[in-house]
Amino acid sequence: MMSRRQFVKRMLAFIAVLAGGGAIWKNVLDQEKPLHAGSESTAAPTPTPSQLTETPLSNKLLLSFFLLSDLHISDGISMMTDKLHAALKDVTNFESPVECIVLGGDLTDMGRETDYKLMRKIFNGYKLPPIYANMGNHDYYDIWLDKQGEFAKETMPNGKSDAMAKERFMKFFGYKDQPYSDFWMGGIHFILLSQEAYVGDKPEYGEGAWYSDAQLAWLENQMKQHEDGKPVMVFIHQPLPAPGTDGGTHQLVRAKEFRAILKPYRNVFVLSGHTHRNFATENHYNTDNSFHWFNNASVGKTRSAGNDNVAQGMYVQIYENQVVVRGREFSDRSWIESANYTVPLQAKA
């Protein structure tokens, strides 16, 4: 039975979703309904990975969420589908609060309509909190397929376009004007950036994430709300290149402008995907920036040494004075103890 405190917390989260827009509703039965709804930088403080200890009662938990990146759902291939099921079973029966789920790009493997339909069917099988998402490069991959569904590099874009892939993603999540969005929940600001073109329109960048002038101006305007130092979560798909440089293929292209926009603000957390890094064997926290940058693992294709069952994601807890980031292994519902970071929030100087 739900306690009074739990009921109030759920109601507050519900109201925040209504105000922010862009969230999906649980168990959507209408198949046509949107599923939602060295460098110029100053290094951030470096936390020490450690066992999570009991948080003092004075340090209030504001919000907890899961970041599930690189699902790579593909119609006709069961491996990634099975891994997503494992993740959602874990999230549904999680021992701690999960106020929302963010999907960090590469939701599909080829960006086909059938891939999205399969993903919808999977999500509809679970009672989940609100879900938000941004696009990855694989969500544009339908241009590589011919009418028979075969990979056809020579005839790319095979009668399709980047705009069609973008529209498919936006329709699925209910985004009306552009594939990037933001929302507030529990007093925390979530900003989701998406690449706006792929090799159909921007072949010079390959698998890189290109953001338009409009999106970067939008980001700059969103960040103006954080002059008070309130923590903000910024989601990208492709990772950043070295500080002081712009990115190429498999990176955020306009990285110098991106970093310049975030630099004036404290308590900024950037969360990326794309690289499929394994929490158990690789470092996921980068401190070479003015912000805190964490690179997520992959639900569908985490790099592993011959273990095809590995499926990982990131659990984030935001407290009044710190943020805790933990790696989760969904295949056996366990914590990855080497991926456990506590980042103190910086007070005004």
Side-chain angles (χ1 to χ4, degrees), residues 218-286:
W218 174 85
L219 173 62
E220 186 172 18
N221 188 56
Q222 293 294 327
M223 290 303 301
K224 291 177 181 178
Q225 302 176 73
H226 295 279
E227 293 178 354
D228 59 0
K230 287 182 180 178
V232 54
M233 304 286 142
V234 180
F235 299 85
I236 60 179
H237 180 65
Q238 284 94 326
L240 292 158
T245 66
D246 275 331
T249 188
H250 296 288
Q251 296 174 331
L252 195 159
V253 174
R254 300 175 71 176
K256 289 192 287 186
E257 292 169 88
F258 174 81
R259 283 184 163 109
I261 291 171
L262 301 188
K263 186 177 180 180
Y265 306 96
R266 65 187 190 278
N267 300 321
V268 178
F269 290 78
V270 173
L271 300 100
S272 65
H274 187 72
T275 60
H276 302 185
R277 299 169 69 89
N278 193 313
F279 275 121
T281 58
E282 300 172 89
N283 179 38
H284 287 246
Y285 178 52
N286 182 293

